[in-house]
């Protein structure tokens, strides 16, 4: 697209010479170090998962007297703590094979062991073998057969890996290819600040601020915080961020906080070396939009690197903190199919637990429309492919729009309905309204391709095409729901800023609030476009919630006045 390359050119002029990057990190070597010992997750049954979910729904319900009364680490963990006899049964089973587990969750329900393949085979009467995972080159293990001994069966939530192995988490944000201009259509409720003319060519932080009425003044609250997940050796470069701010946030005159890095599972930490695409995008659209909100890049390394190991470890890392970040944004996902529902349900409960601590958990919905992560994915039996964790009812899933005048559904925006998680109460009428409006008949190409009873996603969306970033000193536009997720995270963090300054708790788990207030109260309804995939046109965006753009794109001021009806907007500075 000519417009997009114009934006690249103007950014290029601002890039300057950079010393040659250090030799590439030897991450294959890192992985090989862990091959001899096969990592396994042993998850014990929690004692009160109903209590956990009921509590999360209660404290996330704006009508409840307990709204935003978040739990301490110990209170949250108490629901997931296994019964003493479960711990006893499992540890003595492992002890028979001279295996001592590491307890890796604060509740004690998640254990990890590193064992030779022969030991894993003995433990589970299995025949594990190692294989190299497609795409990442990482070593993974899989068995064709296994049996959980009777004595421990009632105590185990899941053992992982067994017959199914999750792929490494993926983010498919792509450099922009030329596309047809978005279709014209009417956008409702479009009382927005005047957009800079250049936003038609490409999206910068200034455009996002104008689109969603966001404040530009630096935040001040030291307790505010955003955590940004990184997997697959993704790392942002600090100099890229500085150039990005210099070029695209010219309004910032003083210095603002850069980001810090936490490393788990041997995650890379060098912010002076070459930057990678996803991490650069995620940091530039958090630090660059949630101005001066403390931001941490949590770098999850290859030690337990598949979609289950890495996803579990980062949540347990945050659950172990006394004050976990009020916002966690993740631009990676795995397909919902092809991995045991018991594993996904437990991972989903870990998100519920973090939600009770007060964290808004945001995940990108994927870039393949109804095909899930990637438009090139093949759809087994021609069925739509939902993405995880977006289908977990305890996270907020973020899809994409494109274009600014009007803003229409992103053709790539993944969305649909879970085959594992039933539709949650907070969403059931929104999803049902959509299904009614769709009035699918047998000759409709969507007929029979998705599960009408499942948790529907995404929940919300923001702009996600032609997003300007700087990587390795070079400006380039990218697209993806992985751009939309940090943008939405920044809006939540800026609302949290106002709440924290007023002595109130942050927003926490968002969905019950967002669905209860509905599209009109907070969102710009996106009613044009669709998300093709699996040889179909995908779902159409329709008035109200839809499985392409969710409830719509956010309006900071309206979201703020929803939670702080008497807030003064004098601290906000909508300056374009
Ligand atoms: C589970 O948690 C709920 C909510 O806190 C509580 O009312 C219930 O007593 C708990 N049940 C058990 C068995 O601990
Ligand atoms: C594992 O056992 C199954 C069933 O006995 C067999 O079909 C399969 O070939 C075995 N796989 C390996 C890697 O030994
Ligand atoms: C940044 O530079 C490194 C080293 O030259 C390279 O491996 C990497 O692909 C570059 N990243 C992007 C997004 O261009
Ligand atoms: C449809 O989703 C429900 C959960 O809402 C699940 O129990 C059921 O197995 C799913 N059906 C199929 C065919 O996947
Ligand atoms: C559903 O049917 C009604 C009445 O026939 C029609 O007006 C509407 O456009 C249809 N909706 C969709 C999404 O096709
Ligand atoms: C907002 O202000 C109105 C009028 O001053 C007052 O009645 C109401 O209680 C206030 N609401 C909150 C949440 O402070």
């Amino acid at each position: 697209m000519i417009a997009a390359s114009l934006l690249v050119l103007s950014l290029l002029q601002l890039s300057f010479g950079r010393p040659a990057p250090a030799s590439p990190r030897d991450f294959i070597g890192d992985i090989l170090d862990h091959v001899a010992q096969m990592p396994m997750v042993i998850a014990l049954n929690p004692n009160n998962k109903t209590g956990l979910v009921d509590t999360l729904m209660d404290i996330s319900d704006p009508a409840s007297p307990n709204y935003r009364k978040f739990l301490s680490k110990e209170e949250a963990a108490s629901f997931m703590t296994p019964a003493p006899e479960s711990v006893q049964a499992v540890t003595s089973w492992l002890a028979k094979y001279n295996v001592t587990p590491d307890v890796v969750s604060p509740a004690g329900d998640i254990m990890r062991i590193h064992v030779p393949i022969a030991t894993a085979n003995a433990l589970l009467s299995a025949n594990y073998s190692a294989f190299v995972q497609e795409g990442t080159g990482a070593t993974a293990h899989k068995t064709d057969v296994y049996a959980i001994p009777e004595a421990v069966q009632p105590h185990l939530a899941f053992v992982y890996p067994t017959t199914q192995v999750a792929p490494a988490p993926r983010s498919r944000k792509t450099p922009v290819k030329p596309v047809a201009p978005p279709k014209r259509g009417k956008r409702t409720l479009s009382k927005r600040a005047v957009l800079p003319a250049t936003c038609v060519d490409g999206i910068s932080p200034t455009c996002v601020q104008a689109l969603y009425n966001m404040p530009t003044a630096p935040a001040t609250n030291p307790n505010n915080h955003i955590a940004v997940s990184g997997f697959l050796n993704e790392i942002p470069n600090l100099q890229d961020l500085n150039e990005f701010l210099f070029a695209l946030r010219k309004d910032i005159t003083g210095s603002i906080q850069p980001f810090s890095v936490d490393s788990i599972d041997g995650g890379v930490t060098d912010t002076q070396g070459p930057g990678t695409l996803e991490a650069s995008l995620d940091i530039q659209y958090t630090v660059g939009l949630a101005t001066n909100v403390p931001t941490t890049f949590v770098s999850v390394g290859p030690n337990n690197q598949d979609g289950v190991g890495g996803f579990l470890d980062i949540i347990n890392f945050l659950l172990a903190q006394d004050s976990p970040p009020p916002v966690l944004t993740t631009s990676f996902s795995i397909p919902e199919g092809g991995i045991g529902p018991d594993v996904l349900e437990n991972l989903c409960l870990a998100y519920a637990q973090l939600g009770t601590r007060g964290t808004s958990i945001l995940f990108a919905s994927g870039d393949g429309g109804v095909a899930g992560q990637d438009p090139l994915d093949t759809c087994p039996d021609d069925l739509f492919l939902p993405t995880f964790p977006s289908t977990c009812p305890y996270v907020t899933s973020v899809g994409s729009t494109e274009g600014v005048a009007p803003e229409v559904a992103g053709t790539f925006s993944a969305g649909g309905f879970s085959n594992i998680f039933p539709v949650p109460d907070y969403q059931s009428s929104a999803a049902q309204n959509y299904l009614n409006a769709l009035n699918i008949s047998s000759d409709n190409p969507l007929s029979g391709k998705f599960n009408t009873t499942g948790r529907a996603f995404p929940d919300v969306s923001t702009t996600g095409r032609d997003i300007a970033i700087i990587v390795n000193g070079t400006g380039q536009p990218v697209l993806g729901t992985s751009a939309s997720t940090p943008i939405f995270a920044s809006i939540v963090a800026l609302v949290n800023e106002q709440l924290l300054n007023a002595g109130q708790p942050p927003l926490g788990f968002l969905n019950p609030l967002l669905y209860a207030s509905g599209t009109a109260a907070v969102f710009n309804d996106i009613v044009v476009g669709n998300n093709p995939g699996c040889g179909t046109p995908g779902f159409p965006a329709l008035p109200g919630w839809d499985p392409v753009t969710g409830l719509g794109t956010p309006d900071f001021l309206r979201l703020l006045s929803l939670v702080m009806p008497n807030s003064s907007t004098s601290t906000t500075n909508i300056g374009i």
Side-chain angles (χ1 to χ4, degrees):
M1 186 185 262
I2 289 168
S5 40
L6 279 177
L7 183 63
V8 172
L9 275 180
S10 64
L11 288 174
L12 271 171
Q13 286 157 6
L14 290 155
S15 66
F16 43 84
R18 193 74 80 65
S23 62
R25 284 172 291 266
D26 183 13
F27 66 89
I28 297 294
D30 288 350
I31 290 165
L32 287 175
D33 288 344
H34 295 270
V35 175
Q37 298 277 299
M38 162 183 167
M40 296 182 82
V41 177
I42 313 254
L44 281 59
N45 274 330
N47 74 77
N48 193 356
K49 58 182 171 187
T50 316
L52 172 66
V53 169
D54 290 350
T55 303
L56 175 69
M57 290 307 163
D58 183 31
I59 64 178
S60 311
D61 176 0
S64 165
N66 297 319
Y67 184 46
R68 293 191 277 136
K69 290 190 176 155
F70 300 124
L71 305 189
S72 68
K73 174 163 56 171
E74 292 72 24
E75 288 166 335
S78 71
F79 295 108
M80 295 301 284
T81 306
E85 56 269 29
S86 296
V87 178
Q88 177 59 39
V90 170
T91 49
S92 54
W93 165 55
L94 295 173
K96 276 190 229 148
Y97 300 87
N98 285 326
V99 177
T100 311
D102 293 324
V103 176
V104 296
S105 67
D109 59 324
I110 309 289
M111 296 176 170
R112 177 166 269 124
I113 60 175
H114 287 87
V115 292
I117 289 182
T119 307
N121 286 341
L123 277 167
L124 295 170
S125 312
N127 65 356
Y128 281 99
S129 58
F131 67 98
V132 173
Q133 233 172 9
E134 222 177 291
T136 64
T139 298
H141 300 83
K142 196 170 170 172
T143 179
D144 295 309
V145 290
Y146 75 102
I148 308 243
E150 234 168 76
V152 288
Q153 225 165 47
H155 304 289
L156 290 184
F158 70 88
V159 176
Y160 182 85
T162 55
T163 52
Q164 293 179 311
V165 177
R170 244 196 315 165
S171 74
R172 184 196 165 274
K173 117 236 55 26
T174 30
V176 169
K177 297 186 211 93
V179 288
K183 280 172 271 171
R184 300 282 136 186
K186 244 220 215 112
R187 190 191 58 220
T188 55
L189 285 166
S190 54
K191 283 190 225 108
R192 293 176 177 174
V194 178
L195 274 180
T198 53
C199 300
V200 175
D201 304 339
I203 301 290
S204 65
T206 311
C207 301
V208 178
Q209 288 165 333
L211 272 170
Y212 305 133
N213 279 328
M214 294 167 69
T216 59
T220 55
N221 196 295
N223 299 322
N224 202 357
H225 197 176
I226 301 180
V228 177
S229 308
F231 297 87
L232 304 173
N233 295 289
E234 285 279 347
I235 188 83
N237 171 283
L238 193 53
Q239 181 67 23
D240 283 338
L241 174 65
N242 287 336
E243 288 174 27
F244 177 84
L245 295 172
F246 180 76
L248 299 175
R249 283 299 309 272
K250 290 190 185 301
D251 60 304
I252 301 175
T253 47
S255 61
I256 63 162
Q257 313 192 33
F259 60 97
S260 57
V261 179
D262 278 339
S263 167
I264 59 177
D265 291 343
V268 292
T269 58
D270 179 11
T271 59
Q272 310 293 319
T276 58
L277 213 57
E278 180 64 65
S280 305
L281 169 63
D282 296 352
I283 279 296
Q284 286 168 21
Y285 281 82
T286 45
V287 176
L289 280 175
T291 316
N292 210 38
V293 172
T295 301
T296 302
F297 184 80
V298 185
S299 173
V300 185
N303 296 7
N304 295 302
Q305 187 89 77
D306 66 33
V308 170
F311 277 5
L312 260 179
D313 287 350
I314 185 170
I315 297 304
N316 283 317
F317 171 74
L318 297 174
L319 283 172
Q321 299 180 358
D322 291 324
S323 304
V327 174
L328 170 65
T329 175
T330 306
S331 290
F332 296 79
S333 63
I334 58 176
E336 186 194 65
I339 168 167
D342 50 351
V343 177
L344 298 183
E345 275 160 18
N346 271 269
L347 207 38
C348 188
L349 287 174
Y351 298 127
Q353 205 187 151
L354 190 59
T356 65
R357 305 286 313 279
T359 301
S360 302
I361 305 172
L362 309 173
F363 275 95
S365 72
D367 295 352
V370 291
Q373 290 187 307
D374 191 316
L376 303 176
D377 281 349
T378 48
C379 305
D381 303 322
D382 290 335
L383 299 178
F384 295 170
L385 285 173
T387 57
F388 185 85
S390 275
T391 55
C392 168
Y394 317 128
V395 308
T396 299
S397 169
V398 186
S400 284
T401 59
E402 58 187 68
V404 291
E407 194 176 5
V408 301
T411 55
F412 53 91
S413 184
F417 298 81
S418 176
N419 290 314
I420 292 174
F421 300 96
V423 68
D425 287 347
Y426 63 74
Q427 188 188 46
S428 55
S429 70
Q432 195 54 54
N433 287 346
Y434 180 81
L435 291 169
N436 294 345
L438 201 56
N439 51 24
I440 265 189
S441 57
S442 53
D443 59 350
N444 188 302
L446 308 186
S447 174
K449 299 204 181 296
F450 64 98
N451 190 329
T452 55
T453 65
R455 161 10 178 185
F457 74 104
D459 299 300
V460 296
S461 55
T462 78
T463 187
R465 189 187 286 277
D466 291 338
I467 309 297
I469 63 170
I470 293 183
V471 190
N472 288 345
T474 302
Q476 62 180 102
V478 294
L479 75 80
T481 53
S482 49
S484 303
T485 312
I487 290 173
F488 194 79
S490 296
I491 292 170
V492 176
L494 290 169
V495 173
N496 286 342
E497 177 73 14
Q498 302 294 321
L499 290 169
L500 293 168
N501 285 341
Q504 293 191 37
L507 288 172
F509 177 46
L510 296 162
N511 296 4
L513 169 74
L514 300 182
Y515 283 89
S517 40
T519 290
V522 178
F523 294 92
N524 310 302
D525 199 357
I526 308 298
V527 298
V528 172
N530 52 294
N531 56 353
C534 305
T536 75
F539 293 108
L542 295 176
W545 180 88
D546 58 67
V548 196
T549 64
L551 292 161
T553 61
D555 183 292
F556 168 83
L557 289 177
R558 282 190 272 148
L559 180 57
L560 181 65
S561 64
L562 184 68
V563 288
M564 293 184 78
N566 292 356
S567 69
S568 147
T569 53
S570 62
T571 47
T572 65
N573 165 21
I574 311 299
I576 302 291

